[in-house]
Amino acid sequence: MRIKDKKRFIVACGGLAAILILAIAVLTLGFWHRNETQSETTNQKNSQASTAQTTNAKTESDPVTTNQAAVTEQPAQSETKEEEKNNAAESGTGTDSITTLVNKNHSISASYIPSDLVTVDLPSTRDTQLRSVAADGLTKLFKAAESAGLELYCCSGYRSYETQSELYAWNVDTYGVDGAELVSARPGMSEHQLGLAMDVTSATVGFDLLESFGATPEGQFIKDNAHKYGFIVRYPQGKTDITGYAYEPWHLRYLGVDVATAIYNSGKTMEEYYGTN
Ligand SMILES: [Zn+2]
């Protein structure tokens, strides 16, 4: 090889090597760049996915937690309250008991108001209320009377302590104290404040509260059948010396079917049956 050719060869080799190095560099850079882009995309995807998971976790777990709390807490509370109410009604103690004795010797607090009063949905001379258990019994009694071709009307159910105060005062003004004592309870001594008493009437006595109601077919039906639906005629004829009140064939007291039937069968007043006065 000639010197001139030798120089050319070296230059060519150098150029080739430079191109080769450049190519390798470009390829390496390209590869590295591609990897980096890929990993960034993967990271983004991962982070998006984890955000989505977090969001799902919030939207799913929160309502579930709330629902679980609602499901476990609410029925537990209402069941307990219902149980307490039933126990109070059946235990025979406390003002809430359906068998509580109220008379001139057994009074109740001025602040007592039954918690389960309902407006009676029956023929009535005016809107009036009873405790729900007594309203249910009265509805059955009215239906039985209707089946016998008789029409009964509600006249006066629950009365607050204040209403009873006004009524007693009116009776004292009208009849004097002795007269009032026979026909009207002093405030705190009325079964009407218990929400367990209803005065009933009929067209045959002009929708009034009269002794003559006892001799009407409606009055007779009540006397013979009220106990089957949980009621007694509380102030019977000839028992004034025991009950303290004149004959009131219209005044029904709810006691539940068992006690009402036992008292009816005994032929006694509530005081005699309880052995107290
Ligand atoms: Zn009454």
Side-chain angles (χ1 to χ4, degrees):
M1 200 181 275
R2 287 179 299 176
I3 293 177
K4 205 177 174 182
D5 288 341
K6 223 178 185 173
K7 273 184 183 171
R8 270 187 193 162
F9 178 75
I10 290 167
V11 169
C13 277
L16 210 69
I19 286 166
L20 211 71
I21 288 164
L22 203 70
I24 287 167
V26 166
L27 277 173
T28 309
L29 267 172
F31 184 71
W32 176 77
H33 179 72
R34 213 179 70 188
N35 270 358
E36 203 174 55
T37 314
Q38 265 183 352
S39 81
E40 259 177 34
T41 315
T42 312
N43 281 346
Q44 270 180 355
K45 275 187 187 164
N46 281 348
S47 107
Q48 273 173 356
S50 84
T51 309
Q53 266 181 352
T54 314
T55 312
N56 282 346
K58 268 187 185 170
T59 51
E60 279 169 19
S61 74
D62 286 356
V64 165
T65 313
T66 314
N67 285 345
Q68 274 177 344
V71 166
T72 51
E73 280 172 22
Q74 284 180 345
Q77 274 183 347
S78 65
E79 265 170 25
T80 312
K81 275 187 183 169
E82 198 58 40
E83 249 173 50
E84 278 172 10
K85 213 189 284 175
N86 288 340
N87 287 343
E90 287 164 13
S91 66
T93 56
T95 312
D96 264 337
S97 162
I98 59 169
T99 56
T100 291
L101 175 69
V102 175
N103 62 17
K104 293 178 192 293
N105 299 311
H106 296 81
S107 60
I108 49 175
S109 160
S111 62
Y112 176 73
I113 300 169
S115 60
D116 55 351
L117 289 171
V118 295
T119 299
V120 178
D121 187 20
L122 289 169
S124 301
T125 59
R126 75 193 84 166
D127 275 356
T128 190
Q129 293 177 305
L130 276 182
R131 286 184 61 185
S132 60
V133 68
D136 290 347
L138 196 68
T139 302
K140 289 174 187 163
L141 174 62
F142 273 42
K143 272 187 184 161
E146 200 183 327
S147 300
L150 303 168
E151 205 170 9
L152 293 169
Y153 286 80
C154 296
C155 189
S156 183
Y158 167 72
R159 292 201 286 263
S160 68
Y161 183 91
E162 289 72 23
T163 302
Q164 191 64 34
S165 301
E166 289 164 15
L167 195 65
Y168 180 77
W170 182 88
N171 277 297
V172 169
D173 283 349
T174 309
Y175 305 112
V177 174
D178 289 349
E181 283 292 320
L182 273 177
V183 297
S184 177
R186 288 172 186 252
M189 296 179 181
S190 172
E191 288 190 327
H192 286 279
Q193 195 188 332
L194 290 176
L196 296 171
M198 178 64 80
D199 297 332
V200 296
T201 186
S202 65
T204 47
V205 288
F207 306 104
D208 210 342
L209 301 178
L210 304 172
E211 267 195 26
S212 58
F213 176 71
T216 65
E218 291 83 4
Q220 286 294 312
F221 182 85
I222 280 173
K223 182 173 174 279
D224 297 336
N225 298 284
H227 63 281
K228 298 173 188 169
Y229 309 96
F231 291 91
I232 60 164
V233 175
R234 179 70 173 87
Y235 309 116
Q237 205 157 20
K239 299 281 188 177
T240 302
D241 57 329
I242 298 162
T243 63
Y245 292 101
Y247 174 41
E248 291 194 1
W250 60 82
H251 179 107
L252 294 175
R253 162 65 196 269
Y254 187 77
L255 287 161
V257 174
D258 290 348
V259 175
T261 301
I263 291 178
Y264 174 82
N265 289 335
S266 74
K268 293 177 176 175
T269 61
M270 198 172 165
E271 282 79 8
E272 291 169 303
Y273 182 78
Y274 277 31
T276 183
N277 53 20

